[in-house]
Amino acid sequence: MEFVFTEEQAMIGETARAFFAENATSERTRKAMAATGQDAGIDRELWTAFCQELGLSGIGIPESAGGAGLGLVELAIIAEAAGAQVAALPMLGSLALSAQALAAGGSAEQQAAHLPGLLSGAVIAGYVHDAGITANGSSLTGSAGFAAHGSSAQLFVVTSNTGAWLVPADAPCVTVTPLTTMDQTRPYARVTLAAAQGEPLADPAAAIAAAHRAGFVAVAAEALGGAQAALDRTVAYARERVQFGRPIGSFQAYKHRLADLMIEIEQARSAVYWAACAVDEGSEEAALAVHAAKSFAADTFFLCAGNMIQLHGGIGFTWEHDAHLYFKRARAIQSMLGSGEWHREQVATMILGEVA
């Protein structure tokens, strides 16, 4: 099968890349990293421009729910462009996870009440998932760590093995505790529910399935964008840095490292867009593809970010260099939404069946 972007998809990608390259600068990202409270890890100006001026926040949401009516391929294109700049945005938790859950499993009333705020960027939602969260009627008890931008959220989409609910962040019996995290562009929080009142989503199974599919694809695409940017920046440095009277990129060992990274990235690209396309087309391979894409792309990003630091030499080891923004994001992506080992286990089970 030969996968080629349509003219519309190519235009979306070009627009998104230009937008993030111009606006998600290192200076602005570092300012967002230093922010505290509800602004921690968020470039508010960039978020408003992305949602309202660029109008791409509803890219993966059906038109019936107020979105653009496109699919996960287009969402992946946007996530890849954002990942290339390590943009400090709550896109993953608020749009790829929470908005997708609402669009797939919320009632018409729930969608009308919450999706406009999410898509405009006026409201930020956090996605909270833990199998240990229990429900007694509409009363929820349990806790979950690693809610992306949880301290900035006004609304939580809470899911477990037993259901899915909407919980306002300021509701009684809800405690949000910021966590110290490696990737300051995406800070996490622990959300604790002590008999908190939740509003059940109309179709919890559909909400959870849609959120996880979109989340896996979005974070894999983000990793792909980061990996490509890490390689591109390293290639640019290799052309400029001169050692022993010649650019360091002309040395064979250096070139071989870059070539190996390019091969890994191209494989990750195939995995990411295979997964996005499989979901959009309702393929039987979709479940397997999203696990493969997340695992492979995350590991590729980490490989490229580590090599970025090493191949930049001394400057790459300084905290002031942007290589560390990529490395921290890559390491965080490896751990979030399931480790690579867990995703590969899911793939193996789907192919081989349960092993005694």
Side-chain angles (χ1 to χ4, degrees), residues 304-326:
C304 291
N307 274 275
M308 183 184 187
I309 291 177
Q310 294 180 21
L311 295 176
H312 272 77
I315 188 65
F317 282 84
T318 64
W319 288 114
E320 292 76 16
H321 197 277
D322 283 352
H324 290 271
L325 300 183
Y326 288 89

Side-chain angles (χ1 to χ4, degrees), residues 119-190:
L119 300 186
S120 71
V123 175
I124 293 174
Y127 187 79
V128 178
H129 178 78
D130 192 278
I133 294 174
T134 59
N136 182 8
S138 60
S139 179
L140 306 177
T141 300
S143 67
F146 310 112
H149 287 102
S151 296
S152 304
Q154 293 94 50
L155 176 71
F156 290 115
V157 175
V158 179
T159 66
S160 74
N161 291 347
T162 58
W165 305 265
L166 297 174
V167 179
D170 60 356
C173 307
V174 176
T175 303
V176 181
T177 307
L179 302 176
T180 301
T181 50
M182 174 179 285
D183 180 12
Q184 294 164 286
T185 65
R186 183 180 286 142
Y188 298 111
R190 173 170 290 279

